[in-house]
Amino acid sequence: LAKTTQPISMDSYEGQEVNITCSHNNIATNDYITWYQQFPSQGPRFIIQGYKTKVTNEVASLFIPADRKSSTLSLPRVSLSDTAVYYCLVGDRNTGFQKLVFGTGTRLLVSP
Amino acid sequence: DAGVTQSPTHLIKTRGQQVTLRCSPKSGHDTVSWYQQALGQGPQFIFQYYEEEERQRGNFPDRFSGHQFPNYSSELNVNALLLGDSALYLCASRAMQLSNQPQHFGDGTRLSIL
């Protein structure tokens, strides 16, 4: 399974756009990129998933360059409630018996 | 539509004891995975159950065992508890036939070993 590298922590202010970049140099052809958000004492919550180019949903955008060796999660106009740990995962989502491999994540702190 | 539910939410045990944690998957899901999350770390995969059988296992000793019932719910059992077993134990579920859908997590059981 491809290993991911992401910053340990990031700071931002309310209303700003936050971009968290994840490096996955050994991503395989069948691998998808998935981001989860986790608040203290809660389970991870799925944010977004993509394979290439750009994916957007109601909460975030995911940018993936052509070589797929990195990806960027973009959170528009963050609020205090976006303070959480964000995990980037890479794996074959179509594998029947799928295990998720989490790193240590990026701890995002949003201040007033 | 209830999501993944886990019980209990908190548990305190002493070294050497045994513990059983329970998980009910999201409605429509038939595959359950268990993860251990130590403080400040990302979740680590323990094992996965489908059709009442363990299908995949992470790097955890045999003290960690599990079970899946016909209604798809699951239990995680840990024997001979060690101080290092203190962690948040997370259950995740998905539907095997919809493998392109993400796994859904419960909010976990916080296990403290004294």
Side-chain angles (χ1 to χ4, degrees):
Chain A
L1 293 170
K3 180 179 176 181
T4 61
T5 303
Q6 48 184 127
I8 294 174
S9 64
M10 294 183 68
D11 295 322
S12 184
Y13 293 96
E14 282 189 293
Q16 290 191 331
E17 178 184 72
V18 171
N19 296 307
I20 306 175
T21 297
C22 178
S23 173
H24 28 79
N25 291 316
N26 296 321
I27 189 169
T29 302
N30 294 332
D31 285 347
Y32 280 73
I33 301 152
T34 307
W35 286 80
Y36 279 84
Q37 174 194 55
Q38 186 176 28
F39 299 111
S41 297
Q42 292 188 23
R45 182 173 70 97
F46 171 82
I47 301 175
I48 198 166
Q49 183 179 78
Y51 184 81
K52 62 181 179 180
T53 62
K54 177 183 175 182
V55 179
T56 297
N57 61 23
E58 62 276 10
V59 298
S61 295
L62 179 59
F63 298 92
I64 307 168
D67 66 5
R68 304 200 327 120
K69 292 184 182 300
S70 67
S71 59
T72 299
L73 174 72
S74 181
L75 305 172
R77 298 178 299 281
V78 294
S79 63
L80 297 177
S81 63
D82 292 317
T83 293
V85 178
Y86 293 81
Y87 294 98
C88 166
L89 290 79
V90 173
D92 185 351
R93 72 174 188 179
N94 294 314
T95 299
F97 302 124
Q98 181 190 86
K99 69 176 184 180
L100 300 179
V101 180
F102 289 83
T104 52
T106 296
R107 192 169 301 272
L108 173 65
L109 175 63
V110 180
S111 301
Chain B
D1 177 22
V4 179
T5 58
Q6 294 186 242
S7 63
T9 55
H10 296 84
L11 202 52
I12 299 175
K13 292 286 188 179
T14 58
R15 282 180 297 174
Q17 285 189 311
Q18 178 265 344
V19 68
T20 298
L21 311 180
R22 296 176 175 81
C23 170
S24 291
K26 180 179 169 64
S27 177
H29 288 185
D30 56 7
T31 306
V32 173
S33 299
W34 287 91
Y35 293 79
Q36 179 195 65
Q37 185 173 24
L39 201 61
Q41 302 296 315
Q44 300 298 305
F45 175 78
I46 303 175
F47 43 53
Q48 182 180 71
Y49 277 82
Y50 173 66
E51 292 186 329
E52 302 180 47
E53 291 187 14
E54 182 182 295
R55 301 292 181 162
Q56 194 168 189
R57 189 178 183 94
N59 188 26
F60 280 80
D62 292 343
R63 298 188 297 109
F64 290 77
S65 64
H67 188 79
Q68 186 179 34
F69 300 93
N71 67 352
Y72 309 121
S73 67
S74 177
E75 288 182 349
L76 164 65
N77 301 293
V78 187
N79 295 322
L81 287 166
L82 304 174
L83 292 178
D85 294 331
S86 293
L88 180 66
Y89 288 86
L90 296 162
C91 172
S93 72
R94 61 193 283 261
M96 182 60 69
Q97 296 304 314
L98 299 174
S99 58
N100 62 345
Q101 296 299 307
Q103 295 190 29
H104 290 252
F105 283 83
D107 285 337
T109 294
R110 172 71 62 187
L111 176 63
S112 299
I113 311 302
L114 303 180

